[in-house]
Amino acid sequence: MMKYKFPLLISLGSLALVLTSCTAVSAPSSTPSSNPASESTLGSASSSSAAAGTSAPTGQSTAASETDQVTADQIIPTLSRPGNTEDEPPADVTDPSIKQVSLRALAPLSYAEEFAAVNDKGDLCLIAWANSGDGDGTATLSEPGLQCDEPAKVKTDGLSLRIEQTKENPGVVLNMLPPDLTEDAVRTALLKIPGNHEDLRPPVEFGSTDFGLVSVAMLPETADELGSISIPRPGGKAFTLDLG
C-alpha cells in the first residue's frame, strides 16, 4: 500500500496548483471590469450637471422678476406712512376701485390739484382736478381725472392724464414723471421751450415733491402746440413726454 501513497500526494498537489493558477488568472479580470462602470457613472454625473446648468434662469427672466417686484410705495414713499390733513382731496373720489386711505398729495401746481393712490389691484393711480387758477380765490375745479398703471410701468413711463376744457370747467394735461427724472433736468428742458418761464403760472409748469417726484402741467392747447417734450435721463438717454 505504501507504493500508492506518494503518487496520490503528487496528484493532490497538482490539483491544488491548478486551482491556484486558475484563481490567479481570473482575479485580474475582475479588476478592470469595475473601471468602465466608474467611468460611466462619472460621465452620467457630468451630463446631469451640464443639464442642470442649462436649466438655470436666464438674465432676461431674472430682470423680469426684478421688474415685477416694483411696488407703489417705492415710487410714492408717503404711501408707507399714515396720511395727514394735506392728503385730503378737494372733493370726494367716488371711484370704487380706489383705496381711499391711500390718497396722498403730490407736488402743488397752479394748473391742477394732484394726488396719488392705489387701487384694489395694487396699481398706482394719478388722480387730479384741473384748476382754473384765477388767483382771486374763485378758482374753479373740474371733475376728477384718473389714470392707473402697474408700478413697474409707472417707474419706467410715469403717468399721464388729460382733462378736456369746457365752457364750465377748466382743463389740464398733467404728467407725473418717472422717478429717475430729476427736478434740475426737467427745469433745464422746460426753460428751452420758447416763451416759457418760471413765473407763478408759466405756459408749462412743473413741481416737485419733497421726495423728488416731478410733475409737469399745462393747458390742453399748450400740449397740442408742443406735441412732446424731451427730458434727459441719467446715463444719457432721453425720456420723451408725449403730450398728445
Side-chain angles (χ1 to χ4, degrees), residues 15-32:
L15 179 61
L17 180 62
V18 170
L19 291 174
T20 303
S21 300
C22 293
T23 304
V25 171
S26 61
S29 64
S30 63
T31 302

Side-chain angles (χ1 to χ4, degrees), residues 1-96:
M1 292 182 66
M2 293 295 294
K3 63 180 180 181
Y4 297 108
K5 186 176 182 179
F6 184 70
L8 178 61
L9 291 174
I10 292 175
S11 300
L12 291 173
S14 300
L15 179 61
L17 180 62
V18 170
L19 291 174
T20 303
S21 300
C22 293
T23 304
V25 171
S26 61
S29 64
S30 63
T31 302
S33 65
S34 63
N35 290 337
S38 300
E39 292 173 359
S40 176
T41 301
L42 291 173
S44 299
S46 300
S47 299
S48 299
S49 299
T54 58
S55 64
T58 63
Q60 182 176 359
S61 63
T62 301
S65 177
E66 292 174 353
T67 300
D68 292 340
Q69 293 176 358
V70 178
T71 58
D73 61 356
Q74 290 175 334
I75 301 171
I76 311 291
T78 50
L79 287 169
S80 62
R81 56 111 172 127
N84 54 41
T85 55
E86 294 179 355
D87 298 317
E88 296 177 2
D92 291 338
V93 178
T94 58
D95 190 306

Side-chain angles (χ1 to χ4, degrees), residues 111 130-132 142 162-173 201 218-222 224:
Y111 283 103
N131 192 336
S132 63
S142 70
R162 183 183 181 110
I163 300 175
E164 295 295 348
Q165 186 172 348
T166 66
K167 185 177 180 180
E168 294 80 16
N169 292 307
V172 70
V173 172
R201 194 173 170 88
M218 67 204 78
L219 294 176
E221 55 262 35
T222 303
D224 293 340

Side-chain angles (χ1 to χ4, degrees), residues 89-96 98-100 103 115 117 127-129 144-146:
D92 291 338
V93 178
T94 58
D95 190 306
I98 298 298
K99 295 183 178 180
Q100 298 292 324
L103 283 160
F115 290 76
I127 305 169
W129 291 258
L146 172 67

Side-chain angles (χ1 to χ4, degrees), residues 222-229 241-244:
T222 303
D224 293 340
E225 181 180 349
L226 292 174
S228 65
I229 300 174
L241 179 59
D242 187 2
L243 303 173

